[in-house]
Amino acid sequence: KAGVTQTPRYLIKTRGQQVTLSCSPISGHRSVSWYQQTPGQGLQFLFEYFSETQRNKGNFPGRFSGRQFSNSRSEMNVSTLELGDSALYLCASSFADVNTEAFFGQGTRLTVV
Amino acid sequence: AQSVTQPDIHITVSEGASLELRCNYSYGATPYLFWYVQSPGQGLQLLLKYFSGDTLVQGIKGFEAEFKRSQSSFNLRKPSVHWSDAAEYFCAASTGGGNKLTFGTGTQLKVEL
């Protein structure tokens, strides 16, 4: 059974640009969550989607957005990139809409220059 | 506010020695608790979880954790550490309403040969 797949693995973008990251959850999983990991702030929750609906949202500016498609694949978008957006972005998938374990992908390393 | 605390930023142990990584949580009710491990540049791998029931939970790679409600703790243990256990370990918690995880700041484990 394939794990959580995130693409691309690495990205370099220029300040002011926008970026879209993709996440394919484990087959059968309907919940997808996104996290940002930086050395200074650690792992921070961005948002969670279940059955195409955003159910939870972390404390991030509106430049960070996401969506989930009918096949449970998810994308997150960051507009007007800032240097501080450089981070490892992790996607996690879970089977159910109540608390179950989350399985993480390898992450997308975003560098903003 | 809900939080997870990992008091030890770095821990060094000798190969073959026992290990205990500390985790404390601050929640109104007992949350669901998890331990994850992360190797450099990689995603997070779930070691074990506590949802309810038996307070001593077994995980993968020979790890176990004990939930102590009176101390609001969920410490990770391993009887004999292997060099391949060197990594960063994260304690995480979640409560009702989805899979939004709150992470501790992580403990970096170094194993001396």
Side-chain angles (χ1 to χ4, degrees), chain A residues 4-45:
Chain A
V4 179
T5 303
Q6 292 188 244
T7 56
R9 288 293 311 278
Y10 302 92
L11 266 179
I12 300 176
K13 289 288 188 178
T14 302
R15 193 171 45 183
Q17 288 186 315
Q18 75 164 13
V19 67
T20 299
L21 313 181
S22 179
C23 173
S24 294
I26 293 171
S27 177
H29 285 195
R30 295 166 64 192
S31 170
V32 173
S33 301
W34 289 88
Y35 296 83
Q36 182 196 64
Q37 185 177 25
T38 60
Q41 299 298 317
L43 280 153
Q44 294 185 287
F45 172 78

Side-chain angles (χ1 to χ4, degrees), chain A residues 59-104:
Chain A
N59 189 26
F60 278 82
R63 300 186 296 106
F64 291 82
S65 63
R67 59 178 176 169
Q68 186 180 33
F69 302 95
S70 58
N71 62 358
S72 293
R73 189 178 70 86
S74 176
E75 289 180 347
M76 68 163 281
N77 184 276
V78 188
S79 62
T80 318
L81 284 165
E82 300 176 359
L83 296 179
D85 297 332
S86 295
L88 181 66
Y89 290 88
L90 293 164
C91 167
S93 79
S94 303
F95 176 73
D97 63 339
V98 293
N99 288 288
T100 59
E101 58 265 46
F103 297 91
F104 284 79

Side-chain angles (χ1 to χ4, degrees), chain B residues 56-104:
Chain B
L56 186 63
V57 294
Q58 303 296 320
I60 62 171
K61 303 185 178 187
F63 286 93
E64 66 178 25
E66 185 172 14
F67 168 69
K68 292 185 178 180
R69 185 189 307 274
S70 61
Q71 298 178 19
S72 297
S73 69
F74 187 57
N75 293 349
L76 182 72
R77 301 195 296 242
K78 186 169 185 178
S80 178
V81 170
H82 188 262
W83 64 266
S84 60
D85 293 324
E88 190 157 22
Y89 291 80
F90 292 94
C91 181
S94 71
T95 166
N99 295 296
K100 173 185 175 182
L101 290 169
T102 298
F103 284 89

